[in-house]
Amino acid sequence: QRNWAQTGFSSREMQTNFAGVMELLCRLGCVCSTTASDPLSTSLSRARLLVIPTPTGEYNRSRKCWNPRSDLLFTGDDIRDVRNFVQDGGRLLAFGYRFGDSFTRSNLRELFSPLGCLLNDDAVLDLQLLRATYPLDAYFDTPGNELPLQWSGTAVSTVRWRTTATFTILPGANVVPLALSAGGNCISFDRSLRRISFASRPVAVAGQHGRGRFALFGGPHIFETGTYGLLTSHDNARFLQNVLRWLLDDSPPDLQPKPTIHHALGTFFFNRHLEVEREVQAQRDQHTIAYVERVLRQTGILKALDRPYWLP
């Protein structure tokens, strides 16, 4: 995904931001190569695992956003080839971005839906933290003992995330949450639907499709080595190792969640100081949404701000 370099930040390729992922795959016995010079179908015919860093459109420097470009989208043939690749026993590791396809102008949602889940046009963020930091510095943590799957939390105490999109798991799909947001103060805001969720939402999912398996993440920073990458933070590297070992394993996939873990549910509202008010009438929903939108505009998190903005 070279286009990320158009912002002045490093690209999302195996020799740049995804170098840590490549290094660990090599340690696990994989030989890594790029698909850039070959049609995707040709690369998949000799692949065991497909890694898809966050795709984007073309950067618009004046408007600080991504413009869609048809030649940068997954084609119908690409989507079919990836689905068949996984169905026939291939493995997939893929990454979205905050606010989903509405931000990056890609079509990951179309790629993921045949696997049984949808990438949402939302972002999980801690509004109180966001007001005091640059958007790319914002984070939230997941305790290892609250990771839903036993194998993913092995030797993991804490996983740190940047602002990330969430997933909707489709009924009947063999897909489960791999990690959940904290809920409560750590909200999910869908900018397409203008909807706020205060519940714990899947920020990563794991699933089986045919004879293959996949792990999908709502954002890439968790496993990146770039300026805002978090691979060396807390136990993120161990979490990545657990995920990759599961993806490459040939034993029956264990998608049975641990005994019920309590997560924050329900609806809360913020006052102007971003303190939670639990007893506010539902009539104030639109006022709350408008207020959150205003905070997001002021922080700049709704824009694809380039490197000169972040690092003058």
Side-chain angles (χ1 to χ4, degrees):
Q1 308 296 347
R2 298 189 178 108
N3 279 14
W4 287 96
Q6 295 172 8
T7 63
F9 290 105
S10 52
S11 60
R12 291 189 154 93
E13 299 176 273
M14 67 182 190
Q15 74 274 15
T16 53
N17 284 18
F18 273 69
V21 175
M22 180 182 69
E23 180 182 350
L24 185 48
L25 283 170
C26 291
R27 289 181 187 175
L28 294 174
C30 297
V31 177
C32 300
S33 63
T34 179
T35 64
S37 59
D38 294 319
L40 186 56
S41 57
T42 301
S43 299
L44 290 178
S45 66
R46 58 177 184 266
R48 167 76 165 156
L49 167 69
L50 172 65
V51 180
I52 302 179
T54 310
T56 61
E58 184 175 51
Y59 189 58
N60 185 323
R61 189 172 301 278
S62 62
R63 297 182 60 196
K64 308 297 184 191
C65 68
W66 295 99
N67 291 336
R69 259 183 48 181
S70 58
D71 61 320
L72 297 176
L73 299 174
F74 294 100
T75 66
D77 287 344
D78 290 337
I79 293 170
R80 180 204 62 208
D81 291 341
V82 172
R83 183 186 68 239
N84 290 341
F85 169 71
V86 179
Q87 178 111 20
D88 294 340
R91 313 300 163 93
L92 173 66
L93 174 65
F95 299 85
Y97 206 71
R98 69 176 187 267
F99 301 115
D101 291 339
S102 70
F103 187 94
T104 59
R105 311 306 289 175
S106 186
N107 60 339
L108 275 178
R109 187 180 175 97
E110 294 178 33
L111 183 71
F112 293 163
S113 59
L115 302 176
C117 56
L118 303 175
L119 178 68
N120 298 321
D121 287 342
D122 66 354
V124 173
L125 40 89
D126 185 328
L127 280 182
Q128 291 175 310
L129 179 62
L130 185 62
R131 289 189 71 181
T133 62
Y134 285 127
L136 291 186
D137 280 323
Y139 65 87
F140 64 93
D141 295 333
T142 299
N145 59 8
E146 292 188 7
L147 293 171
L149 300 175
Q150 189 70 47
W151 52 264
S152 67
T154 302
V156 174
S157 297
T158 304
V159 177
R160 175 154 291 185
W161 309 76
R162 297 290 186 208
T163 302
T164 179
T166 73
F167 294 89
T168 296
I169 297 175
L170 300 175
N174 193 11
V175 185
V176 297
L178 179 56
L180 294 142
S181 64
N185 291 356
C186 198
I187 70 167
S188 161
F189 180 75
D190 190 309
R191 75 172 188 173
S192 295
L193 299 177
R194 299 188 71 241
R195 180 180 298 166
I196 301 174
S197 173
F198 302 85
S200 294
R201 302 291 302 274
V203 292
V205 296
Q208 184 177 19
H209 183 71
R211 294 187 291 109
R213 57 183 77 175
F214 56 88
L216 313 177
F217 289 78
H221 300 92
I222 178 176
F223 297 145
E224 286 189 327
T225 54
T227 306
Y228 293 95
L230 292 172
L231 182 61
T232 59
S233 178
H234 294 74
D235 299 308
N236 289 19
R238 180 55 195 243
F239 183 46
L240 171 63
Q241 184 181 76
N242 294 343
V243 171
L244 292 180
R245 287 186 182 278
W246 177 81
L247 281 171
L248 296 171
D249 193 7
D250 288 322
S251 62
D254 179 9
L255 294 176
Q256 184 64 39
K258 291 188 291 190
T260 303
I261 298 173
H262 296 288
H263 295 281
L265 300 173
T267 301
F268 308 106
F269 300 90
F270 292 92
N271 61 28
R272 61 186 301 174
H273 303 294
L274 291 180
E275 298 167 341
V276 174
E277 294 181 342
R278 298 175 182 271
E279 303 297 333
V280 180
Q281 296 298 316
Q283 291 90 318
R284 290 185 60 184
D285 281 0
Q286 289 303 312
H287 172 76
T288 303
I289 290 170
Y291 177 71
V292 171
E293 286 178 325
R294 188 163 61 252
V295 171
L296 297 185
R297 284 194 300 270
Q298 291 170 349
T299 62
I301 200 168
L302 292 172
K303 292 185 177 182
L305 299 170
D306 55 27
R307 187 181 180 93
Y309 179 93
W310 298 106
L311 300 173

